[in-house]
Amino acid sequence: MRQFAELAGDVRDPYPMFAGIRESTPVMEIQYGARSDPKAPRVTSLFSVTSHELAEQVLTDTARFSSAGYASSIGQVLGRSIIGMDGPEHVRQRALVAGAFRARVLDRWSDEIIGATVGELIDAFAGDGHADLVPQLTYPFPIRVIARVLGLPEADWPRFLRLSTELIAVMRNWDRAVAASRELRGYFGEIIADRRRHARDDLVSQLIEAEVDGHRLKDEEIYPFLLLLLPAGAETTYRSSGNLLFGLLGDPAQLDAVRADRGLVPAAIEEALRWETPALTVARTATADLELGGVRIPAGALVAVSLGAANRDPLLHPHPDTFDVFRADKQHMSFGDGAHTCLGMHLARLEMRILLTAVLDRLPGLRLDPGADDPHIHGLLFRSPPNLPVRFDPE
Ligand code: HEM
């Protein structure tokens, strides 16, 4: 057994550590001591899965690997949401919310909401010739999209954005996240009550009206889903957008190629998702004593599937550490796999496409600021650049 913190080394680059684990054993037992807030739940028995093949096995085998473990971690601030459900309950709840993310709905959001949001954020700095693209663009972007998709009045945005940020930072400040969750629940309660009286053209109204086999969502089921959208939909997408821009800015030849041929935008998005996985790990709990990759795992143990490690498995991808928009096979597990595969993946891809296209169109001559203080990607649970200082030709 090894200490996780010791194994983690420099969180700027956990990939050598993952490669080392994968080479020594595809499933490693780890003593997990990393907790920045002592109130966050302590996990004692943890197995890390780093190969693509075994990651796929775990995520597609819901009988042996349950999602119920989320109840004692993120479930404490979200309530009972679909991410922590198993079996028929999960299938039924997922079917009820999935309609709101179908292609026809997304098309309608693309200009009205996503394009408008990117446009107004870029308007604020396009004349300056310089910007930090994280605080000024990638960070506020997806949470504003969610605020608009939910139909929240603009006057409420500052409060909503503050509470969302506090909820998302759950592993750093548990008490504040619990308080934010309580306040958001009260706020969403008012919105749901209002939409029950007057349906509107927004996601909350769609969730209220959704019906599958005579079932409808109760308020107690809508709250956790709305709360889940904050970490699931906003945190991940802001990070993936930052990683995409970082990958391209770090290799001006690839940036020029994508600028010249917009047909490469989807390839750049998929490669960025593979290369720097925004949410590195998903968790499952062993439902019985079992064996995985020749390693015995006791019932109740936490199985941490490293999507980041799986995405860089050399058995699948040659030169896995290189960001290469032109690689032939860019398949990745950044949206998970199996029954819980990300429900918002089409929305996330659409957001990244609209964001990158707007950046290429509106910020000519875009480059990393040569005076920038060491831009980099970091993180062990979530990964993205904390800052992206750039220069460009002002509008
Ligand atoms: C690049 C951005 C995104 C990434 C990398 C990502 C990643 C993931 C992953 C890995 C899972 C599976 C979790 C598990 O198996 O335990 C997941 C589930 C989920 N995601 Fe995303 N996600 C992204 C964007 C979004 C967006 C934009 C939304 C909605 C607004 C969203 C909503 C969800 C929901 C509701 C689930 C739970 C599905 C279920 O449990 O059946 N995600 N996401």
Side-chain angles (χ1 to χ4, degrees):
M1 212 188 284
R2 317 256 309 264
Q3 286 290 339
F4 194 61
E6 166 206 324
L7 283 168
D10 182 358
V11 289
R12 277 201 188 195
D13 187 5
Y15 289 101
M17 170 188 81
F18 291 146
I21 296 177
R22 197 173 38 230
E23 275 160 28
S24 67
T25 168
V27 179
M28 175 176 269
E29 185 170 8
I30 284 169
Q31 196 181 341
Y32 185 83
R35 253 187 341 170
S36 41
D37 185 323
K39 288 203 177 110
R42 178 179 287 284
V43 174
T44 45
S45 182
L46 184 145
F47 292 77
S48 169
V49 176
T50 45
S51 81
H52 185 275
E53 189 192 344
L54 292 182
E56 200 169 32
Q57 258 185 46
V58 172
L59 295 185
T60 53
D61 185 348
T62 48
R64 296 202 311 159
F65 300 98
S66 156
S67 290
Y70 283 124
S72 61
S73 55
I74 191 85
Q76 299 287 313
V77 287
L78 299 183
R80 195 163 165 64
S81 75
I82 59 169
I83 204 161
M85 292 177 187
D86 290 320
E89 183 192 23
H90 173 250
V91 172
R92 195 175 53 244
Q93 290 274 324
R94 187 171 159 119
L96 278 165
V97 294
F101 293 90
R102 63 188 184 276
R104 193 163 55 81
V105 178
L106 291 188
D107 276 353
R108 213 158 33 92
W109 291 348
S110 95
D111 292 339
E112 253 174 56
I113 292 186
I114 307 172
T117 305
V118 171
E120 71 195 22
L121 289 167
I122 296 185
D123 285 347
F125 62 79
D128 296 346
H130 62 91
D132 183 339
L133 293 181
V134 176
Q136 291 181 266
L137 181 61
T138 57
Y139 186 75
F141 165 52
I143 196 71
R144 283 192 191 202
V145 168
I146 290 182
R148 282 188 153 129
V149 162
L150 294 177
L152 308 184
E154 212 161 322
D156 293 354
W157 286 11
R159 177 181 172 212
F160 175 70
L161 301 186
R162 175 180 59 80
L163 292 172
S164 303
T165 304
E166 289 173 7
L167 183 91
I168 286 168
V170 55
M171 294 320 268
R172 285 194 296 282
N173 193 328
W174 190 261
D175 285 341
R176 209 161 63 177
V178 171
S181 151
R182 203 172 303 125
E183 199 176 331
L184 276 166
R185 187 176 268 256
Y187 174 62
F188 285 146
E190 292 162 24
I191 301 280
I192 294 170
D194 176 73
R195 301 305 189 271
R196 284 208 185 274
R197 285 193 299 274
H198 318 282
R200 291 215 219 151
D201 184 16
D202 61 33
L203 180 72
V204 178
S205 305
Q206 284 165 32
L207 293 174
I208 289 171
E209 283 158 20
E211 188 176 329
V212 174
D213 299 336
H215 290 281
R216 281 179 175 239
L217 289 164
K218 302 186 192 79
D219 285 5
E220 304 79 68
E221 294 165 331
I222 296 178
Y223 294 126
F225 184 70
L226 295 180
L227 290 174
L228 172 64
L229 292 183
L230 305 175
E235 163 116 38
T236 49
T237 310
Y238 107 71
R239 292 184 185 276
S240 64
S241 304
N243 294 341
L244 169 65
L245 294 175
F246 185 88
L248 291 171
L249 287 162
D251 187 339
Q254 294 196 60
L255 178 62
D256 287 348
V258 177
R259 191 195 299 280
D261 176 4
R262 300 304 171 84
L264 287 171
V265 165
I269 290 171
E270 295 313 304
E271 174 62 353
L273 284 163
R274 183 204 68 79
W275 174 64
E276 277 294 3
T277 313
L280 274 184
T281 308
V282 295
R284 296 292 184 267
T285 307
T287 55
D289 290 345
L290 52 85
E291 198 208 280
L292 181 71
V295 173
R296 297 201 60 75
I297 297 183
L302 197 73
V303 179
V305 177
S306 176
L307 304 177
N311 286 342
R312 293 201 190 191
D313 188 334
L315 285 181
L316 201 68
H317 297 296
H319 311 296
D321 297 329
T322 309
F323 174 73
D324 179 5
V325 168
F326 298 100
R327 77 170 58 243
D329 181 357
K330 289 178 276 291
Q331 68 167 293
H332 61 78
M333 298 181 85
S334 291
F335 292 120
D337 200 354
H340 288 270
T341 299
C342 178
L343 202 55
M345 66 182 174
H346 304 304
L347 174 59
R349 286 178 167 130
L350 185 64
E351 288 182 271
M352 290 170 76
R353 180 161 61 73
I354 292 175
L355 179 131
L356 179 56
T357 304
V359 163
L360 295 174
D361 285 346
R362 296 201 48 198
L363 307 177
L366 184 73
R367 60 208 177 272
L368 275 176
D369 187 334
D373 183 16
D374 185 25
H376 62 273
I377 288 177
H378 84 167
L380 195 55
L381 293 174
F382 295 98
R383 285 181 66 72
S384 60
N387 298 93
L388 267 179
V390 292
R391 298 211 157 255
F392 47 87
D393 309 334
E395 258 180 3

